[in-house]
Amino acid sequence: MDMKKIFAGYYSLNQEQFKELWENCIFVLDTNILLNLYRYNKNTRNDFINNVLRKIEERLWIPHQVALEFQENRLEVIESQQTQIATIKDKWKNHKAKFWGEIRTFHAINPESLIERLDKELSEYLNDKNSVIIEQLDFLIDDPLELTKHDTVRDIVDELFNGKIGESPTNEELTNIYKNGEERYRIKYPPGFKDQQDKRNDPPYLYKEMEFKRMYGDLILWKELLKKVESCSWKHVIFITDDDKDDWWNRNSGKTDGPRLELIQEMYEAGASLFYMYNSDRFIDRAEKYLGTKISDDSKQEIEEIADLNKYLLTCLSGQEVERAVFEWLIREYPDELITRNERIRDSSIDILRYSNGSKIGYEVKYIKGKLIPIIKLHQWIIKMQLVISRGSLDFGYIVIVTDQIENNNQMRVFAVKNFIQELKFADKLGFIVGGIYVQGDGTGADKYIFQEFSTI
């Protein structure tokens, strides 16, 4: 048998094959691509929809799992945007008032005249940049409260994917996927095994008397896609996702080198002849080359920034090892108190729960890396913890922000995280712990993760 057919996943596509792929493919979008439409400002979203998605409208398709996750998660994204907008507006008003107040202390000048001139020149500058702080926020970003009443973004998604959504799997198919998923995850076979720790205790999506388990969401999506490729004899497929975990992407020397080889092999065995994957900013770049689409540089920049958010989260590197390190630190700090992991409280799961003098104190552990602070994710974590506290499930909650600073010796980044958190407004019963993680060898070749607290806010 032909070597290339047996080991198709090990062979890269050449330029002619990429050209053929883009000319003939079906474009399959992941949930995060649809939810990002809420995170983009209006200009970027309109640019992306009108100048990219509508150009390939007849070749779009999404699995049923993607549509379900979109419906289940859109309100949470809208709420996180509402929090972010309120924070930005408050900061602008406060800093502006503080600055004007300091100018008024200079009695040797005419402060009111100076303030009037500065205010005018600043407004003109911001107008030139199309971003007057308060007014332009209202223009560039949809009012999240309005979106909850009439979701214009969902209207567009409904229109774009009308008749282009996969069929729901049956209960029998889901049972088989979960059974197959246990074995695949055990040997770390992609996709989805990176979710087995972080999402194991998350409540399932309920739809038509069926349980869609979140830890198997990526695998359900993938099985749907393979079934569609086989049943419709699709030969060319491009999958677009901003999921940056290693159970989707092949890594060589720290660099992303296309989809996992196992995924390519399964796709070809389902009947496809050409398959590839892109994140959103790379997709925009390649669409310009192969399809002649064109969007503004500002839109490209924002799409890249949103796509990069997931790269700052070490989901399974382990979520488990990092969470265990924080758990062991808490045991050392509170040796006489009961401390448990992965507790379910009503309809929510908590990473770590501490029982102290009749009170329940919860800890959500989040590990971030890279140079930027994932602001959107940070607000989502706050909203989730505030909700659990407001329901009376916890007496107090901490979000534990764990950075890679010890590994990188980057004290400035920890300082930036701490200062950023201190500027946020959050509930009285919610706190933050900022710390770092480092690896300690035990002399046997096995590494141990150690958590070190830097600040409690």
Side-chain angles (χ1 to χ4, degrees):
M1 186 176 286
D2 187 346
M3 178 74 82
K4 285 188 176 181
K5 290 184 179 180
I6 300 175
F7 300 105
Y10 291 85
Y11 291 84
S12 301
L13 303 185
N14 58 40
Q15 288 302 313
E16 286 301 315
Q17 289 173 315
F18 273 119
K19 186 173 183 294
E20 177 187 343
L21 174 63
W22 276 84
E23 287 177 351
N24 300 285
C25 75
I26 299 296
F27 295 95
V28 182
L29 274 58
D30 198 359
T31 312
N32 44 60
I33 304 299
L34 300 182
L35 292 176
N36 282 346
L37 295 175
Y38 293 102
R39 299 180 176 113
Y40 299 150
N41 68 47
K42 287 184 179 180
N43 289 340
T44 299
R45 181 170 62 247
N46 292 337
D47 212 358
F48 181 58
I49 291 171
N50 296 327
N51 296 317
V52 180
L53 294 184
R54 292 206 183 278
K55 300 292 184 183
I56 56 174
E57 189 171 356
E58 298 304 314
R59 294 197 276 157
L60 289 173
W61 186 81
I62 55 173
H64 175 272
Q65 180 70 17
V66 167
L68 176 62
E69 291 176 352
F70 170 75
Q71 298 287 0
E72 288 281 349
N73 290 285
R74 65 181 188 85
L75 287 179
E76 182 179 344
V77 177
I78 291 171
E79 289 172 0
S80 71
Q81 294 299 97
Q82 181 180 358
T83 301
Q84 188 177 12
I85 293 169
T87 300
I88 293 172
K89 288 185 175 183
D90 286 345
K91 284 186 176 180
W92 166 244
K93 291 177 180 177
N94 291 339
H95 285 304
K96 182 177 177 180
K98 181 179 179 181
F99 182 54
W100 284 176
E102 290 177 352
I103 289 179
R104 287 189 172 93
T105 64
F106 291 92
H107 300 290
I109 62 173
N110 184 340
E112 298 304 326
S113 176
L114 179 58
I115 289 173
E116 183 179 350
R117 288 177 56 192
L118 287 174
D119 200 19
K120 179 181 178 182
E121 292 185 12
L122 180 60
S123 296
E124 289 177 353
Y125 170 77
L126 293 173
N127 269 315
D128 289 340
K129 297 296 182 181
N130 195 33
S131 59
V132 174
I133 301 298
I134 302 302
E135 292 81 359
Q136 290 298 325
L137 271 173
D138 294 332
F139 169 73
L140 289 173
I141 306 175
D142 291 305
D143 183 349
L145 291 176
E146 290 301 317
L147 283 176
T148 59
K149 299 173 184 175
H150 179 195
D151 190 344
T152 54
V153 174
R154 186 167 60 172
D155 288 346
I156 295 170
V157 172
D158 290 347
E159 177 194 350
L160 282 171
F161 293 95
N162 184 30
K164 306 163 194 170
I165 302 174
E167 296 181 0
S168 170
T170 64
N171 234 330
E172 182 181 359
E173 286 174 325
L174 284 177
T175 300
N176 290 334
I177 289 173
Y178 300 153
K179 183 177 180 181
N180 178 234
E182 288 182 9
E183 180 59 24
R184 290 173 69 116
Y185 286 12
R186 183 183 67 81
I187 62 175
K188 299 192 184 309
Y189 202 92
F193 65 83
K194 283 288 190 179
D195 290 330
Q196 63 182 322
Q197 295 300 330
D198 288 352
K199 297 183 180 181
R200 180 179 295 277
N201 296 312
D202 286 355
Y205 300 126
L206 302 179
Y207 175 78
K208 291 189 175 180
E209 299 183 352
M210 294 185 290
E211 284 190 347
F212 289 77
K213 297 181 180 180
R214 299 196 196 193
M215 67 177 286
Y216 292 113
D218 285 353
L219 186 58
I220 296 171
L221 176 163
W222 182 247
K223 291 288 190 178
E224 272 195 76
L225 178 53
L226 294 178
K227 181 181 178 181
K228 187 70 173 179
V229 168
E230 186 173 4
S231 64
C232 293
S233 298
W234 286 351
K235 298 299 180 184
H236 307 82
V237 178
I238 285 179
F239 180 53
I240 307 160
T241 179
D242 278 337
D243 190 332
D244 193 55
K245 297 193 296 294
D246 290 345
D247 55 355
W248 282 110
W249 301 97
N250 190 39
R251 313 285 193 195
N252 284 319
S253 301
K255 295 182 179 180
T256 301
D257 186 25
R260 286 283 297 249
L261 307 183
E262 301 92 332
L263 302 180
I264 298 174
Q265 192 71 35
E266 284 193 319
M267 183 60 67
Y268 288 169
E269 289 174 359
S273 56
L274 294 174
F275 168 72
Y276 207 70
M277 287 169 45
Y278 298 93
N279 67 4
S280 54
D281 60 311
R282 186 66 173 167
F283 166 68
I284 292 296
D285 180 68
R286 297 295 89 185
E288 190 170 313
K289 175 180 178 179
Y290 290 108
L291 303 178
T293 60
K294 185 68 177 177
I295 66 173
S296 72
D297 290 340
D298 288 343
S299 295
K300 288 180 184 177
Q301 181 178 345
E302 186 179 20
I303 288 171
E304 181 179 359
E305 289 172 352
I306 296 296
D308 280 345
L309 280 175
N310 287 329
K311 297 179 184 178
Y312 305 131
L313 301 175
L314 291 178
T315 49
C316 267
L317 158 62
S318 290
Q320 186 178 15
E321 286 90 345
V322 175
E323 183 183 310
R324 184 186 296 116
V326 175
F327 175 71
E328 292 174 351
W329 169 75
L330 285 168
I331 290 177
R332 294 193 300 271
E333 292 290 309
Y334 305 98
D336 299 325
E337 296 181 355
L338 175 62
I339 302 174
T340 62
R341 291 180 61 193
N342 299 320
E343 288 278 347
R344 287 199 59 78
I345 302 178
R346 295 186 182 178
D347 57 349
S348 299
S349 60
I350 297 296
D351 291 338
I352 302 172
L353 189 61
R354 176 166 66 93
Y355 296 87
S356 177
N357 298 322
S359 297
K360 289 186 293 186
I361 303 171
Y363 298 82
E364 281 288 292
V365 182
K366 305 299 179 182
Y367 191 1
I368 63 176
K369 64 174 181 177
K371 297 179 180 179
L372 299 180
I373 302 169
I375 299 174
I376 294 177
K377 289 290 185 181
L378 192 56
H379 283 298
Q380 290 174 352
W381 300 334
I382 293 172
I383 291 170
K384 178 183 176 181
M385 185 62 90
Q386 284 178 332
L387 185 61
V388 175
I389 294 171
S390 67
R391 289 172 177 170
S393 302
L394 292 174
D395 297 296
F396 198 92
Y398 284 102
I399 297 175
V400 185
I401 304 295
V402 185
T403 80
D404 57 359
Q405 77 82 34
I406 295 181
E407 288 291 301
N408 296 331
N409 194 26
N410 184 5
Q411 295 287 347
M412 287 301 294
R413 186 167 180 281
V414 172
F415 180 75
V417 171
K418 178 181 175 182
N419 282 354
F420 178 79
I421 290 173
Q422 286 177 328
E423 292 186 12
L424 294 175
K425 296 179 179 179
F426 44 88
D428 292 337
K429 295 182 179 181
L430 174 61
F432 284 85
I433 297 173
V434 180
I437 203 83
Y438 65 93
V439 181
Q440 181 184 75
D442 63 0
T444 66
D447 291 330
K448 184 177 182 180
Y449 290 85
I450 305 296
F451 174 75
Q452 179 180 336
E453 177 199 11
F454 295 117
S455 179
T456 296
I457 304 169

